[in-house]
Coordinates of all heavy atoms in Angstrom, one line a residue:
M1 N 111.7 104.4 86.9 CA 111.5 105.3 88.1 C 112.7 106.2 88.3 O 113.8 105.8 87.9 CB 111.4 104.4 89.4 CG 110.2 103.5 89.4 SD 108.7 104.5 89.6 CE 108.4 104.3 91.4
A2 N 112.5 107.3 88.8 CA 113.5 108.3 89.0 C 113.4 108.9 90.4 O 112.3 109.1 90.9 CB 113.5 109.4 88.0
G3 N 114.5 109.1 91.0 CA 114.5 109.7 92.3 C 114.4 111.2 92.3 O 115.1 111.9 91.5
Y4 N 113.5 111.8 93.1 CA 113.4 113.2 93.2 C 113.4 113.6 94.6 O 113.1 112.9 95.5 CB 112.1 113.7 92.5 CG 112.1 113.6 91.0 CD1 111.7 112.4 90.4 CD2 112.4 114.6 90.3 CE1 111.7 112.3 89.0 CE2 112.4 114.6 88.9 CZ 112.1 113.4 88.3 OH 112.1 113.3 86.9
I5 N 113.7 114.9 94.8 CA 113.6 115.5 96.1 C 112.7 116.7 96.1 O 112.8 117.6 95.2 CB 115.0 115.9 96.6 CG1 115.9 114.7 96.8 CG2 114.9 116.7 98.0 CD1 117.3 115.0 97.1
C6 N 111.7 116.7 96.9 CA 110.7 117.8 96.9 C 111.4 119.0 97.5 O 112.1 119.0 98.5 CB 109.5 117.4 97.8 SG 108.4 118.7 98.0
A7 N 111.2 120.1 96.8 CA 111.8 121.4 97.2 C 111.1 121.9 98.4 O 111.6 122.8 99.1 CB 111.8 122.4 96.1
K8 N 109.9 121.5 98.7 CA 109.1 122.1 99.7 C 109.4 121.3 101.0 O 109.7 121.9 102.0 CB 107.6 122.0 99.3 CG 106.8 123.1 99.9 CD 105.4 123.0 99.3 CE 104.4 124.0 99.9 NZ 103.1 123.8 99.3
C9 N 109.2 120.0 101.0 CA 109.3 119.3 102.3 C 110.6 118.5 102.3 O 110.9 117.8 103.3 CB 108.1 118.3 102.5 SG 108.0 117.0 101.3
E10 N 111.4 118.6 101.2 CA 112.7 117.9 101.1 C 112.7 116.4 101.4 O 113.6 115.8 101.9 CB 113.7 118.6 102.1 CG 113.9 120.0 101.8 CD 115.0 120.6 102.6 OE1 115.1 120.2 103.8 OE2 115.8 121.5 102.2
K11 N 111.6 115.9 101.0 CA 111.4 114.4 101.1 C 111.8 113.7 99.8 O 111.5 114.2 98.8 CB 110.0 114.1 101.5 CG 109.8 112.6 101.9 CD 108.5 112.4 102.5 CE 108.3 110.9 102.8 NZ 107.6 110.7 104.1
E12 N 112.5 112.6 100.0 CA 112.9 111.9 98.8 C 111.7 111.0 98.3 O 111.1 110.3 99.1 CB 114.1 110.9 99.1 CG 115.4 111.6 99.1 CD 116.5 110.6 99.3 OE1 116.4 109.5 98.7 OE2 117.5 110.9 100.0
I13 N 111.4 111.2 97.1 CA 110.3 110.4 96.5 C 110.8 109.8 95.2 O 111.7 110.2 94.6 CB 109.1 111.3 96.3 CG1 109.4 112.5 95.4 CG2 108.5 111.7 97.6 CD1 108.2 113.2 95.0
E14 N 110.1 108.8 94.8 CA 110.3 108.1 93.5 C 109.1 108.1 92.7 O 108.1 107.6 93.1 CB 110.8 106.7 93.7 CG 112.3 106.7 94.1 CD 112.9 105.4 93.7 OE1 112.2 104.5 93.3 OE2 114.2 105.3 93.9
I15 N 109.2 108.8 91.5 CA 108.0 108.8 90.6 C 108.5 108.5 89.2 O 109.7 108.6 88.9 CB 107.3 110.1 90.7 CG1 108.3 111.3 90.4 CG2 106.5 110.3 91.9 CD1 107.6 112.5 90.0
D16 N 107.6 108.0 88.4 CA 107.8 107.8 87.0 C 107.2 109.0 86.2 O 106.0 109.1 86.2 CB 107.2 106.5 86.6 CG 107.7 106.1 85.2 OD1 108.2 107.0 84.5 OD2 107.6 105.0 84.8
P17 N 108.0 109.9 85.7 CA 107.4 111.0 85.0 C 106.6 110.7 83.8 O 105.7 111.5 83.4 CB 108.7 111.8 84.6 CG 109.8 111.3 85.4 CD 109.5 109.8 85.7
K18 N 106.7 109.5 83.3 CA 105.9 109.1 82.1 C 104.5 108.7 82.6 O 103.6 108.8 81.8 CB 106.6 107.9 81.4 CG 107.8 108.3 80.7 CD 108.5 107.1 80.2 CE 110.0 107.4 79.8 NZ 110.8 106.2 79.7
V19 N 104.4 108.2 83.8 CA 103.1 107.7 84.3 C 102.5 108.7 85.2 O 101.3 109.0 85.1 CB 103.4 106.3 84.9 CG1 102.0 105.8 85.5 CG2 104.0 105.4 84.0
D20 N 103.3 109.1 86.2 CA 102.7 109.9 87.3 C 102.9 111.4 86.9 O 103.7 111.8 86.2 CB 103.4 109.6 88.6 CG 103.2 108.2 89.0 OD1 102.1 107.7 88.9 OD2 104.3 107.6 89.4
R21 N 102.1 112.2 87.6 CA 102.3 113.7 87.5 C 103.4 114.0 88.5 O 103.6 113.4 89.5 CB 101.0 114.4 87.9 CG 99.9 114.1 87.0 CD 98.8 115.2 87.1 NE 99.3 116.5 86.6 CZ 98.6 117.6 86.7 NH1 97.4 117.5 87.3 NH2 99.0 118.7 86.3
I22 N 104.2 115.0 88.1 CA 105.3 115.3 89.0 C 104.8 116.2 90.1 O 104.9 117.4 90.1 CB 106.4 116.0 88.2 CG1 106.9 115.1 87.1 CG2 107.6 116.4 89.1 CD1 107.9 115.6 86.2
I23 N 104.3 115.5 91.1 CA 103.7 116.2 92.3 C 104.2 115.4 93.5 O 104.1 114.1 93.5 CB 102.2 116.3 92.2 CG1 101.8 117.3 91.2 CG2 101.6 116.7 93.6 CD1 100.3 117.4 90.9
C24 N 104.6 116.1 94.5 CA 105.0 115.4 95.7 C 103.8 114.7 96.4 O 102.9 115.4 96.7 CB 105.7 116.4 96.7 SG 106.1 115.7 98.3
P25 N 103.9 113.4 96.6 CA 102.8 112.8 97.3 C 102.7 113.1 98.8 O 101.7 112.8 99.4 CB 103.1 111.3 97.1 CG 104.5 111.2 96.9 CD 105.0 112.5 96.3
N26 N 103.7 113.7 99.3 CA 103.7 114.1 100.7 C 103.0 115.4 101.0 O 102.2 115.5 101.9 CB 105.1 114.1 101.2 CG 105.2 114.1 102.7 OD1 104.6 113.3 103.3 ND2 106.0 115.0 103.2
C27 N 103.4 116.4 100.2 CA 102.9 117.8 100.5 C 102.2 118.4 99.2 O 101.8 119.5 99.3 CB 104.0 118.6 101.0 SG 105.2 119.0 99.7
S28 N 102.1 117.6 98.2 CA 101.5 118.1 96.9 C 102.3 119.2 96.3 O 101.7 120.0 95.5 CB 100.0 118.5 97.1 OG 99.3 117.4 97.6
G29 N 103.5 119.3 96.7 CA 104.4 120.4 96.1 C 104.7 120.0 94.6 O 104.9 118.8 94.3
R30 N 104.8 121.0 93.8 CA 105.1 120.7 92.4 C 106.5 121.0 92.0 O 106.8 120.9 90.8 CB 104.1 121.5 91.5 CG 102.7 120.7 91.5 CD 101.9 121.4 90.4 NE 100.9 122.3 91.0 CZ 100.2 123.2 90.3 NH1 100.4 123.2 89.0 NH2 99.4 124.0 90.9
I31 N 107.3 121.3 92.9 CA 108.7 121.6 92.6 C 109.6 120.4 93.1 O 109.8 120.3 94.3 CB 109.2 122.9 93.2 CG1 108.3 124.1 92.7 CG2 110.7 123.2 92.8 CD1 108.5 125.3 93.5
L32 N 110.0 119.6 92.2 CA 110.8 118.5 92.5 C 112.1 118.6 91.8 O 112.2 118.8 90.7 CB 110.1 117.2 92.1 CG 108.7 117.0 92.6 CD1 108.1 115.6 92.2 CD2 108.7 117.0 94.2
L33 N 113.1 118.4 92.7 CA 114.5 118.4 92.1 C 114.9 117.0 91.8 O 114.7 116.1 92.6 CB 115.4 119.0 93.2 CG 114.9 120.3 93.8 CD1 115.8 120.7 95.0 CD2 114.9 121.5 92.8
K34 N 115.5 116.9 90.7 CA 116.0 115.6 90.3 C 117.2 115.2 91.1 O 118.1 116.0 91.3 CB 116.4 115.6 88.8 CG 116.3 114.2 88.2 CD 116.3 114.3 86.7 CE 115.9 112.9 86.2 NZ 115.8 112.9 84.7
K35 N 117.2 114.0 91.6 CA 118.2 113.6 92.5 C 119.4 113.2 91.7 O 119.3 112.6 90.6 CB 117.7 112.4 93.3 CG 118.5 112.1 94.5 CD 117.8 110.9 95.3 CE 118.8 110.2 96.1 NZ 118.2 109.0 96.6
R36 N 120.6 113.7 92.2 CA 121.8 113.4 91.4 C 122.2 111.9 91.6 O 122.3 111.5 92.8 CB 122.9 114.3 92.0 CG 122.9 115.6 91.2 CD 124.1 116.4 91.7 NE 123.7 117.6 92.4 CZ 124.5 118.4 93.1 NH1 125.8 118.0 93.3 NH2 124.1 119.5 93.7
P37 N 122.6 111.3 90.6 CA 123.1 109.9 90.8 C 124.5 110.0 91.4 O 125.3 110.7 90.9 CB 123.1 109.3 89.4 CG 123.1 110.5 88.5 CD 122.5 111.6 89.2
E38 N 124.7 109.2 92.4 CA 125.9 109.2 93.1 C 126.9 108.4 92.3 O 126.8 107.2 92.2 CB 125.8 108.8 94.5 CG 125.0 109.8 95.3 CD 125.2 109.6 96.8 OE1 126.3 109.0 97.2 OE2 124.5 110.2 97.6
I39 N 128.0 109.0 91.9 CA 129.0 108.3 91.1 C 130.2 108.0 92.1 O 130.9 108.9 92.5 CB 129.5 109.1 89.9 CG1 128.3 109.4 89.0 CG2 130.5 108.3 89.1 CD1 128.5 110.6 88.1
A40 N 130.3 106.8 92.4 CA 131.4 106.4 93.3 C 132.5 105.7 92.5 O 132.6 104.5 92.5 CB 130.9 105.5 94.4
K41 N 133.3 106.5 91.9 CA 134.4 105.9 91.1 C 135.7 106.1 91.7 O 136.7 105.8 91.1 CB 134.3 106.4 89.6 CG 133.3 105.7 88.8 CD 133.6 105.9 87.3 CE 132.7 105.0 86.5 NZ 132.9 105.1 85.1
T42 N 135.7 106.7 92.9 CA 137.0 107.0 93.5 C 137.4 105.8 94.4 O 138.5 105.8 94.9 CB 136.9 108.3 94.4 OG1 135.7 108.1 95.2 CG2 136.7 109.5 93.5
I43 N 136.6 104.9 94.5 CA 136.9 103.7 95.3 C 137.7 102.7 94.5 O 137.3 102.3 93.5 CB 135.6 103.0 95.9 CG1 134.8 104.1 96.7 CG2 136.0 101.9 96.8 CD1 133.4 103.6 96.9
K44 N 138.9 102.5 95.1 CA 139.7 101.5 94.4 C 139.8 100.2 95.3 O 140.7 100.1 96.1 CB 141.1 102.0 94.1 CG 141.1 103.1 93.0 CD 142.5 103.6 92.7 CE 142.4 104.7 91.7 NZ 143.7 105.3 91.5
A45 N 138.9 99.4 95.1 CA 138.8 98.2 95.9 C 139.4 97.0 95.1 O 139.3 96.9 93.9 CB 137.4 97.9 96.4
R46 N 140.0 96.1 95.9 CA 140.5 94.9 95.2 C 139.6 93.8 95.5 O 139.2 93.5 96.6 CB 141.9 94.6 95.8 CG 142.9 95.6 95.2 CD 144.3 94.9 95.3 NE 145.3 95.7 94.6 CZ 146.5 95.3 94.4 NH1 146.9 94.1 94.7 NH2 147.4 96.1 93.8
Ligands
LIG1 ZN1 106.9 117.6 99.4

């Protein structure tokens, strides 16, 4: 599964590009932006 953000309704959705068509289930928009994985490496916790 991969996280995407619809460019039309800006809703976060999760789809599997291998299985599903890349279409927003909310508004049927076909422009989905791949969500950036958040890299939190600046935290220095003990
Ligand atoms: Zn949408």
Side-chain angles (χ1 to χ4, degrees):
M1 292 292 261
Y4 287 87
I5 294 170
C6 175
K8 210 171 174 183
C9 65
E10 296 186 328
K11 190 170 177 139
E12 279 188 37
I13 54 170
E14 281 206 351
I15 53 164
D16 190 343
K18 291 172 195 164
V19 179
D20 301 314
R21 298 196 69 185
I22 302 180
I23 289 176
C24 174
N26 193 48
C27 69
S28 300
R30 278 192 261 167
I31 302 165
L32 301 182
L33 311 172
K34 204 161 194 180
K35 204 175 152 190
R36 274 185 244 168
E38 292 203 15
I39 303 160
K41 280 200 171 181
T42 50
I43 303 163
K44 289 181 182 176
R46 283 203 175 190

